Amino acid sequence: MNHVGIAGFGQTKAVTTRSDVTFPELVREGVDLALAAANMTMDQVDAVVYPLAPDALIGVNNGERWVVDAIGATGKPFMRVNNGGATGMSAVLTAWTHIASGLFDVVLVAGADRVSESGSAQSVLNKMWDVGYERTVPLNTITMLAMSAQRYMQLYDSDEVDMALVSEKNRYHASLNPYAHLQSSITVAEVLASRTLAWPIKLGDACPSSTGAAGVVMVSERYAKEHGVEVAWVRGLGQNSETLFMGDRVGPKHVGDHADADALAVAFERAYRQAGIVDPFAQIDVAEVYAPFSSVELHVVEAAGFAPKGGAPQALREGKFRLGATEGPVVNPSGGTQCTNPIAVTGTIRVGEAANQVLGRAGAIQVDGARVAVASAIGGDHQFYSTMVLSTDLEEI
Amino acid sequence: MTDSHPSVAVIATATTQLERETTRSLEEMIFDTTRAALAGACLTIDDIDAVVVSGNDETDGRVISIMAASGPSGGVGRDLTMTASSGDHALVYGWMRVLAGQSRRVLVVGWSKPSEGVDPDHAELVEAEPYLLRNVGMNHTAAAALQASLLQDAPTGDGPVVAWPLTHGDLPVRGDTVHALVLAAEGSFEPGIEQAWLLDCGWATGAYELGQRDLADFAPLRASLDQMAARGIAPEPGAWDAAEIGADSEPSVRAVADLLGLPSRAVVNASGSLADVITAPHVQGLTRMVSAIGRIAEGAASVAGGIGFHGFAGQGATVAVFAAQKGAHA
């Protein structure tokens, strides 16, 4: 199988609104930044994989077609991926396939989103559920994950302070990240005192609605060697899917417990197997995981194998997962999805931040000596999962 | 591609095409069609490594339609990806997964159920950007008419003019459609059950702005054909026995057939005219590719091309070349 590497990652500073650009112009910014990071031009790109999750967030059906001219992709192979919130990472995995198939050497993944400019993102997202049952509850991404958080608290004797510890860590990390949307740190007390959105999720536990663009440039091993391109090597990748229905995740006949992320754990395991990772806590230096709410990060780090089920809060209290931690991986040194969430490219940012870490390009949020990183994304109603392991070299992990 | 990449076959297809499905939900249609494809290949879902799906959220009336489709398409517990740009891109991506050695058997499912939407015309209208095209009422019919007006070939369809110069008989019919296909690497199935070998695919997308391209030039199609010619794996159109073309109007079908330079023996759209074959814009290309596979499977052609377009006036094009023999090289 052909090896594939990430040659460059670019992103705009995430903000609440961008009234100075149209959507195609915003995407173009992400393209330009990604190409600049890879020291390439669009002429060198063989194909484009475009991440765009709900069209409704930008108000244009098949909005990917609108951006083709602006990004200079006319005449090139171009396809769009939509795996909900996992889209930005599923697109990276799709680009990997483009290169591993032997058809292409250089593939661009780039896109944008303007979530806060959709009128009501949560109203839009309510429409992703089943028409007859769950849409009318009414579920949205906050209430859905509040139920998951409640179940986690019940099952593992956890509380709101555990969630606030995640927020405090991520907001501190984001305060060091010039591209993050939320760049102010927050204390545990401030999280606990913040407005409740859907108990136990409070404003301090929640991601912002972000406008931003991002992209990565991926190249074949042959191209990297012929052109002397430094890359973050893709060592393993995985995807998995969960049942749609919330009702199938609770009760005596459940197929998955809403407290946990078992299907995500399978996706991690698939990537780890390819990469030769048997002890994730010891072998992985950095993790950029998709967790739009603090409660989600608790079970995601457990699915990643960094703590036993129900063990993430204790690990946090011991100072693990934080920049400067003396053992184990640093989790979301960028601040993660909780601090920046332009949905269509949030997964792309996870991969890009992980790539920057193993390439030593992460600036103020660089994890010292980072060689192996893992990234993950979640889409749908906590339903679609993507994972990827990256490393500085092709040596044994 | 090198010799280390496996040959890829289509080992089963199943199709549901109805003018209007009144008794089954979209999810039930997907489930039934997927089950039929698996049964056709004598497989169960446990034999499938990955599922690639394609639908259109606005037509389906779901903000993320892969969510509802994941169960009935067999995606739960599996590697599942939606290519939302066009139904034919699901076939292309499934093919690449097998080429890459990432999967041995891939299930490809594409659908469109316009009858379920309150207003399918509005779903087409919001494909137009909000500043200019949406305000002028752009949709696939209007774009097809603009394209046809630039072609030398006069429309020949029957009935009143819908959008000059096109009549009802020149335009595709819209209906509820689901396709499911099983792609498999050589060695992962019993030899002889393959319906066709998928030799190569080319795909490209052109300018969105209609004024930025010559609508009569079919540049995305030319780019797709150029990709395949450069690889030299599949016979060029001059050696095809059949072509199934899912263009936006009958004048466009004829223009595309001329552009391809097909041999005189080649049969174009043997499965029926655009007005005869029920499909929907999102899966029109996949519908024609399934028809091309059918020509090979029934022994009516040794090499057949399936061509699809997506977006206004064929902004994007996809070409897939199928053959009875995996070694049908150019």
Side-chain angles (χ1 to χ4, degrees), chain A residues 60-133:
Chain A
V60 179
N61 183 7
N62 283 117
E64 75 278 5
R65 295 173 188 159
W66 187 22
V67 308
V68 172
D69 313 48
I71 66 173
T74 52
K76 294 182 187 292
F78 178 98
M79 70 169 63
R80 170 196 172 188
V81 168
N82 178 5
N83 275 22
T87 293
M89 194 161 168
S90 295
V92 175
L93 269 64
T94 301
W96 179 93
T97 305
H98 275 60
I99 295 172
S101 71
L103 294 170
F104 306 105
D105 281 315
V106 181
V107 179
L108 170 72
V109 177
D113 221 332
R114 42 200 332 166
V115 179
S116 64
E117 298 166 64
S118 63
S120 171
Q122 289 303 329
S123 176
V124 168
L125 294 170
N126 166 258
K127 308 301 184 297
M128 69 189 192
W129 268 285
D130 174 77
V131 178
Y133 297 94

Side-chain angles (χ1 to χ4, degrees), chain B residues 6 11 71 79 89-90 96 117 119 134 154 174 196 225 228 235 253 273:
Chain B
I11 62 170
D79 186 326
H89 286 167
M96 283 194 287
D119 187 352
R134 192 174 301 178
R174 181 190 282 152
L225 294 168
M228 294 195 295
V253 169
S273 71

Side-chain angles (χ1 to χ4, degrees), chain A residues 73-337:
Chain A
T74 52
K76 294 182 187 292
F78 178 98
M79 70 169 63
R80 170 196 172 188
V81 168
N82 178 5
N83 275 22
T87 293
M89 194 161 168
S90 295
V92 175
L93 269 64
T94 301
W96 179 93
T97 305
H98 275 60
I99 295 172
S101 71
L103 294 170
F104 306 105
D105 281 315
V106 181
V107 179
L108 170 72
V109 177
D113 221 332
R114 42 200 332 166
V115 179
S116 64
E117 298 166 64
S118 63
S120 171
Q122 289 303 329
S123 176
V124 168
L125 294 170
N126 166 258
K127 308 301 184 297
M128 69 189 192
W129 268 285
D130 174 77
V131 178
Y133 297 94
E134 296 183 325
R135 191 181 293 187
T136 54
V137 167
L139 282 175
N140 59 39
T141 56
I142 304 173
T143 55
M144 166 189 74
L145 291 168
M147 290 193 292
S148 170
Q150 290 169 25
R151 175 67 177 151
Y152 186 93
M153 292 164 73
Q154 178 200 35
L155 200 59
Y156 300 118
D157 195 24
S158 173
D159 60 27
E160 294 165 78
V161 175
D162 296 334
M163 294 164 56
L165 288 169
V166 175
S167 298
E168 189 277 329
K169 170 185 71 73
N170 285 338
R171 292 283 290 270
Y172 164 65
H173 289 173
S175 73
L176 305 173
N177 178 1
Y179 299 100
H181 189 172
L182 302 181
Q183 286 184 306
S184 58
S185 57
I186 194 169
T187 66
V188 168
E190 287 170 332
V191 175
L192 294 173
S194 63
R195 176 166 60 91
T196 298
L197 303 178
W199 189 85
I201 293 175
K202 293 170 288 300
L203 193 61
D205 296 302
C207 64
S209 297
S210 303
T211 289
V216 296
V217 179
M218 305 182 74
V219 301
S220 67
E221 181 177 12
R222 178 182 64 182
Y223 187 94
K225 288 182 174 171
E226 284 182 4
H227 295 81
V229 179
E230 184 186 40
V231 300
W233 293 105
V234 178
R235 304 299 299 274
L237 54 148
Q239 286 202 135
N240 195 27
S241 309
E242 168 74 280
T243 175
L244 164 68
F245 293 104
M246 296 290 108
D248 287 340
R249 302 181 198 172
V250 296
K253 295 184 178 178
H254 67 262
V255 295
D257 197 306
H258 206 21
D260 303 318
D262 291 338
L264 173 59
V266 172
F268 275 119
E269 182 52 40
R270 288 173 179 167
Y272 290 165
R273 198 178 311 127
Q274 286 180 34
I277 290 175
V278 294
D279 183 352
F281 185 81
Q283 291 177 278
I284 293 173
D285 303 306
V286 187
E288 279 287 343
V289 299
Y290 189 110
F293 302 98
S294 59
S295 54
V296 176
E297 188 171 306
L298 294 173
H299 68 197
V300 169
V301 299
E302 293 163 11
F306 301 151
K309 280 186 177 179
Q314 179 59 32
L316 274 167
R317 287 194 171 88
E318 292 168 358
K320 295 188 174 73
F321 311 140
R322 192 180 185 88
L323 275 168
T326 55
E327 60 172 344
V330 176
V331 176
N332 286 335
S334 69
T337 308

